[in-house]
Amino acid sequence: AYIKGVQESDVAACAKHYAVNSQETDRLDVDETVSERALRELYLPAFEAAVRDGGVLSVMGAYNLVNGEQCCESKKLLDDILRDEFGFDGFVVSDWSAVKRTKESAEVGLDVEMSVTPNFDEYYFAQPLKKAIEAGEVKEADVDKKVVRVLSVMDALHMLGEARKTRKPGHYATLDHAVKALDIARESIVLLKNDGNLLPLDERKMTRLLVIGANADRIHSNGGGSAVIKALHEVSPLLGLNGALGGNVEIEYALGYDARQVNQDESWQEESLENSKGSDTKDEERAKALRDEAVAKARAYAAAGDPVLFIGGLDHEHDLEGRDRTTMALPYGQDELLDALLNADSDTILAFVAGSPIEMPWADKAKAIVWNWYAGCESGTALAEVLLGRVNPSGHLPETFPIALSDEPAHAIGTFGLEGHVDYKEDIYVGYRYFDTKQVPVRFPFGHGLSYTSFEYSDLTVRRVDDEIRVSLHVKNTGDCAGKTVVQVYLGLEGTGEDRPAKELKGFEKVELQAGESRQVGIDMPAAKALRYWSNGSNAYALAPAATVFVGESVEDIRLSGRVA
């Protein structure tokens, strides 16, 4: 849907980074050993969907090596799979500085070289390519193919000849865009925990609100490397709360912990080609003073029966291009602050702005936890609406939140070790496939997301009609307010003769229901996709003869089950 939306405006979407670009450390030259099964089942399907279903016009080749072969030199990846199997007919662009050699990249389906330095004539596809053609080392016909592919995309975008007169101008940062950004942010926020229905806050009864945490008063669109968004505005959580509550509620703010506002300058791109170093060094005396001040205020608010809200998490000193996090612990001493806050007021509400999971050693003490992501220019507005109950949260986790970093399969199995090389020993047992199959306890499972209402699932039917698997059930909103549930369909493939994950997500549907409303929900899945797996025995795709069907609100919260054969 994203690809189709971008390309409606005569702009080529670019699917990246092809392929297995899974880390930032040594990203320019790390060699990743991955099984054919994992490659086919985990790391390539998103690109296949982008090409076959999205019609993407460009693909970006990754920095890394896969099984000893540079992605931007790989005939297997660029020609055999991308073009011949997937049917891709657009152009492939390299990641910036991902081309290492002229001849090797010229002879495969890489069309455009990009980099970050101003010596353009020295790029591998510039003067060195011209010389290689003149010397007979590279066929001119191979270059002609690249030119045709680039021109074909330009033609599709109405960039050539008379068609330029019909090219859509597009729009930038309009009010309509802000409205859409707000809608997306509202849909994405995840309510992780809400013991005792602490949320939503009752704004009619509130007269004071204490907000603690640096991320309450920070924006994030202007950092993160390539993740930077050229937004004309961004609403911080504190600004969103002030705007939503107006003058009826007095909002007091305490920093709580020290974190600088990230402001990215134009030098980031060249610097990102090196392994960058992070720093969490802090003034211990100042950190203690900020913590003590915040805890004292929280204690006073709790004694008066007024709510306390903590807004913390990560920032683009930690979630960014060019550097991996070395720990899942919260930076800036937030864990110590959270322990103290929850001791001072057990009803402290916790909200986190971050782009990747964190360890939560204090989670059992917390009653309410909200996960906000980096939700764009209207992020603070959406968060305020969810906290105040004006919007019922309906986001669900697209990844597992483990209890500790050591529980992650890549760390538990021992993927790392050799410098510049990563061995994907976990195979297809990545994320929920590992945690669920191996029954490793997690903090919050894949697909998890709570609501201010509740839903009942019933009357499951599973039918196979021709090449379609049709799953149907009734969903009822059993609470007292409108809300949305995400019906998730998992399959456990059977009869393959090979080890398989216990469950794999194959379909989902977000459904909005009024209080007391019931509706039949149908999720249809092509059997050729739902039952497909890569057989180690035949080294080819095969279809499982049967499968168990699991339906629920997360990979752990399974409400109904059936079978397909």
Side-chain angles (χ1 to χ4, degrees), residues 333-444:
Q334 290 179 77
D335 286 331
E336 296 92 329
L337 172 60
L338 284 164
D339 259 333
L341 285 175
L342 291 167
N343 288 336
D345 179 10
S346 61
D347 286 342
T348 298
I349 297 161
L350 310 183
F352 295 95
V353 179
S356 50
I358 57 173
E359 291 178 354
M360 301 181 180
W362 29 260
D364 291 339
K365 292 165 58 175
K367 296 179 182 177
I369 305 175
V370 178
W371 194 263
N372 190 63
W373 311 105
Y374 302 117
C377 63
E378 288 291 334
S379 175
T381 306
L383 179 59
E385 291 176 335
V386 166
L387 293 171
L388 298 172
R390 300 180 188 180
V391 169
N392 195 341
S394 61
H396 287 247
L397 290 180
E399 57 191 313
T400 303
F401 277 35
I403 294 173
L405 179 62
S406 57
D407 294 331
E408 283 280 2
H411 295 267
I413 293 172
T415 290
F416 309 104
L418 298 175
E419 183 176 353
H421 185 94
V422 175
D423 188 355
Y424 285 38
K425 294 178 183 177
E426 67 273 25
D427 191 42
I428 58 173
Y429 294 96
V430 173
Y432 75 88
R433 294 171 178 83
Y434 170 79
F435 292 105
D436 183 52
T437 305
K438 308 299 183 183
Q439 298 186 324
V440 177
V442 302
R443 182 67 67 191
F444 297 108

Side-chain angles (χ1 to χ4, degrees), residues 35 74 81 140 274 282 294 367 386 417 443 534:
S35 71
S74 174
I81 296 177
E140 190 171 334
E274 303 292 336
K282 58 181 181 292
K367 296 179 182 177
V386 166
R443 182 67 67 191
W534 185 265

Side-chain angles (χ1 to χ4, degrees), residues 109-177:
L110 181 77
D111 302 309
V112 178
E113 177 193 6
M114 294 297 292
S115 191
V116 303
T117 54
N119 58 325
F120 305 113
D121 285 347
E122 297 173 24
Y123 285 12
Y124 293 98
F125 272 17
Q127 288 297 328
L129 178 57
K130 182 172 181 288
K131 292 177 181 177
I133 295 170
E134 292 171 342
E137 297 170 359
V138 172
K139 297 176 183 177
E140 190 171 334
D142 287 339
V143 179
D144 289 343
K145 293 177 185 177
K146 303 178 191 302
V147 174
V148 168
R149 288 192 287 255
V150 172
L151 289 174
S152 296
V153 172
M154 293 176 70
D155 185 54
L157 300 176
H158 305 106
M159 297 174 68
L160 304 176
E162 288 297 308
R164 287 181 295 177
K165 297 176 181 178
T166 65
R167 182 173 168 81
K168 297 177 182 177
H171 305 281
Y172 181 68
T174 66
L175 288 176
D176 184 52
H177 292 162

Side-chain angles (χ1 to χ4, degrees), residues 18 41 57 128 182 208 265 279 285 362 373 381 441-442 456:
Y18 185 73
E41 292 195 15
L57 290 173
L182 178 56
R208 295 196 307 164
D265 61 32
S279 175
E285 188 173 327
W362 29 260
W373 311 105
T381 306
V442 302
E456 179 181 275

Side-chain angles (χ1 to χ4, degrees), residues 197 199-200 392 451-455 476-483 513-517:
N197 295 320
L199 287 171
N392 195 341
S451 170
Y452 295 148
T453 188
S454 55
F455 300 93
K476 182 177 182 180
N477 182 341
T478 55
D480 55 8
C481 66
L513 298 171
Q514 298 300 312
E517 183 183 1

Side-chain angles (χ1 to χ4, degrees), residues 16-17 24 27 63 95-96 116 222-230 262-276 316 320-323:
K16 63 179 192 177
H17 304 82
E24 295 298 281
R27 63 179 180 159
Y63 286 126
D95 203 342
W96 274 228
V116 303
N222 57 347
S226 294
V228 69
I229 299 170
K230 297 176 177 66
V262 175
N263 291 299
Q264 181 171 299
D265 61 32
E266 294 181 357
S267 67
W268 73 268
Q269 203 164 41
E270 288 193 50
E271 292 174 356
S272 74
L273 297 182
E274 303 292 336
N275 287 330
S276 57
H316 293 319
L320 76 161
E321 180 174 3
R323 181 168 74 242

Side-chain angles (χ1 to χ4, degrees), residues 173-196:
T174 66
L175 288 176
D176 184 52
H177 292 162
V179 170
K180 286 183 170 62
L182 178 56
D183 287 341
I184 293 167
R186 287 166 172 160
E187 296 285 335
S188 70
I189 295 173
V190 185
L191 180 61
L192 295 176
K193 191 174 183 181
N194 194 26
D195 291 354

